[in-house]
């Protein structure tokens, strides 16, 4: 696969390196914490995942079908807050989820809204009955993102 390789509306120009236009999904990593949260999540993973999808959809303004691959795991316990439990959450925002923003831009908007804008994970809180604090740590291209490497199409 050499130069000028097209994928969708994007082209890998000879010698160019980088993410392939806006055809790349985004992966978002965040933590949620609350009293007894992990205990509840462990017993209600599907309900938790659906609530995360609902909150991300509401905050980003994209359809739920564009939020996928929700993964959860228990974070290391904070010995100073014995009742508080943290959950690490990652999810993907699909490429093409918005006609206005790339998936990574949507992820960054989500991060800003949650970390600085005061947006709450209201669906998670309503479903679990637990007051939740959220912090988005990372937004980037999904691990299997299409990229151009010296003009050739590859998975990054």
């Amino acid at each position: 696969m050499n130069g000028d390789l097209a994928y969708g509306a994007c082209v890998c120009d000879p010698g160019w390196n980088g993410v392939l236009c806006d055809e790349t999904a985004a992966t978002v990593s965040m933590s949620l914490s609350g009293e007894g949260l992990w205990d509840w999540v462990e017993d209600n993973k599907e309900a938790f995942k659906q609530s995360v999808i609902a909150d991300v959809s509401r905050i980003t303004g994209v359809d739920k079908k564009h939020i996928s691959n929700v993964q959860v795991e228990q974070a290391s316990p904070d010995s100073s807050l014995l009742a508080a439990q943290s959950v690490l959450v990652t999810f993907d925002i699909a490429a093409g989820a918005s006609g206005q923003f790339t998936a990574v831009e949507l992820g960054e908007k989500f991060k800003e809204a949650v970390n600085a804008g005061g947006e709450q994970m209201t669906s998670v809180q309503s479903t679990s009955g637990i007051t939740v604090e959220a912090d988005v740590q990372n937004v980037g291209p999904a691990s299997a993102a299409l990229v151009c490497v010296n003009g050739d199409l590859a998975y990054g």
Side-chain angles (χ1 to χ4, degrees), residues 47-152:
F48 176 75
K49 289 179 180 183
Q50 291 307 310
S51 293
V52 168
I53 290 170
D55 283 329
V56 174
S57 173
R58 176 184 54 80
I59 293 168
T60 60
V62 301
D63 194 286
K64 292 177 188 177
K65 70 182 181 184
H66 297 297
I67 313 303
S68 64
N69 196 29
V70 178
Q71 303 293 315
V72 299
E73 64 182 72
Q74 183 178 20
S76 299
D78 182 347
S79 59
S80 66
L81 301 170
L82 294 177
Q85 298 175 341
S86 294
V87 178
L88 301 177
V89 180
T90 60
F91 60 87
D92 292 340
I93 301 173
S98 166
Q100 200 172 12
F101 301 104
T102 67
V104 172
E105 288 172 333
L106 287 169
E108 290 294 342
K109 288 180 177 301
F110 176 77
K111 180 178 181 179
E112 177 71 18
V114 170
N115 291 359
E119 280 288 349
Q120 299 290 311
M121 301 296 283
T122 55
S123 181
V124 170
Q125 292 182 139
S126 174
T127 303
S128 68
I130 297 170
T131 301
V132 173
E133 294 292 325
D135 181 53
V136 181
Q137 287 92 24
N138 192 38
V139 176
S143 59
L146 287 170
V147 296
C148 292
V149 179
N150 292 322
D152 292 334

